[in-house]
Amino acid sequence: MSHTADPPSLDSGTLDLTPAGAGAAQPWRDPAGYWAELARATAHLPAPAGVLSLPALRANTADLLRRANGVPLRLASKSLRVRGAIDALLALPGFQGILAFTLPEALWLARTCPDVVVGYPGTDRGALVQLAADAQLASRVTLMVDDEAQLDLIDSLVPPARRPALRICLDADASWRSPLLGFIGTRRSPVHAPAEVLDLARRIVARPGFRLVGLMMYEGQVAGVGDAVPGSAAMNLLMRQVQRRSMDELRGRRAEIVRQLRGLTDLEFVNGGGTGSVEATGADPSVTEITVGSGIFAGHLFDTYRAFAPAPAAAIGFDVVRRPAPRIATVLGGGWIASGPPGSSRVPQVAWPRGLRLLPREGAGEVQTPLSGRAAAGLAVGDRVWLRHAKSGEPAERLNEFHVVDDGRVTAVLPTYRGEGKAFL
Ligand SMILES: Cc1ncc(COP(=O)(O)O)c(C=O)c1O
């Protein structure tokens, strides 16, 4: 395999993710053909080569829309970090607005997107001052709050009388307090019971310079935890029970919180969920929108759910650079470990060729990743190995661009946030 530096000529730099019809080709169902085609189309690119398959992206988009069953989808930008993909999705009916991960990012995105909710509280003073100084940005960006101290910080930077009212979304804890298993969920918001949420909401509403417009309750224990993890039969059974009980509890509590909040303020949206919980969250009548992101590029963690099976749309090609033993082939780089609890689920997965695995004592390395297995014997220096990251947005922090492949050729090159010189987090 040889890799030259010449870029291909491109039809366009933009992406059309209009879902294909039911009879659309599903090339990933034939893994040998799929990976061979991606490899051929990008053989001229130096490794690491970030690739997105257009038919896979379209299928994943269509499947999220199908699962949402008409409930609008808000895009989790952290799970994409590629503006060309974000723009292409927002152009489709069914998607509206972005859940950004920092305020500087939100200010950048709000230049073109009129509805950006910052998913997490932040303290970037410069960005807060910029938001408070610009009526248009203030009308487009919503800040996440779960503690009055976050509002005090804003007031200390720009007093309420000297700024437009800032849009606020209240983040309420969606965890499940299991009598037997304890706290199950993400450790985020301190307000959980309806009375606690209402108390904070009243205090927000009473303060000048803020407008409470949204509620977010993210059920990470359902949205972000697979219930069909290979080799974990007992844990999968337990997770299914936990997730069912948790959604039952959440449905009643969320309804009560929303009912009381609506008596206090004009709520524009009630946000919940993530890729792993689209149907469960969408079935809750209190929810007006579902956040999704990971299901588009489909990091391999999202292969472990019963409810859906995304196509492996994103992959990174790494090159074999040495052969330390007959059944070991070593690629340059590869150690892109995903966030979350450290463990084997967070390392990259070899998508192709099949039959390669990481060495337990070395794992995926900063500069070298030895891969062992039968397939290693057939690999030579210069051959390409395809890895999938565990998460969906994090590879964009390592790559300047993704190459979109359709029908055997590169049809678009999409800069990542990093490629645009933007490192937000
Ligand atoms: C607040 C919030 N909502 C939704 C999501 C779901 O995003 P995704 O669909 O990428 O899993 C996340 C992911 O962590 C999140 O933090």
Side-chain angles (χ1 to χ4, degrees), residues 64 74-80 99-100 118-120 144 171 186 188 216-220 223-224 271-278 290-296 302 305 391-393:
L64 286 167
R74 181 178 291 278
L75 272 181
S77 60
K78 74 170 184 65
S79 306
L80 295 152
L99 190 81
V118 187
Y120 318 90
M144 195 60 64
D171 184 353
T186 52
R188 293 191 185 176
M216 183 176 83
M217 295 181 75
Y218 170 56
E219 53 273 59
N271 179 285
T275 291
S277 73
V278 172
I290 308 164
T291 297
V292 297
S294 301
I296 304 290
F302 289 84
Y305 293 75
K391 291 268 188 110
S392 303

Side-chain angles (χ1 to χ4, degrees), residues 3-8 43-46:
H3 309 295
T4 65
D6 290 340
H44 58 286
L45 299 171

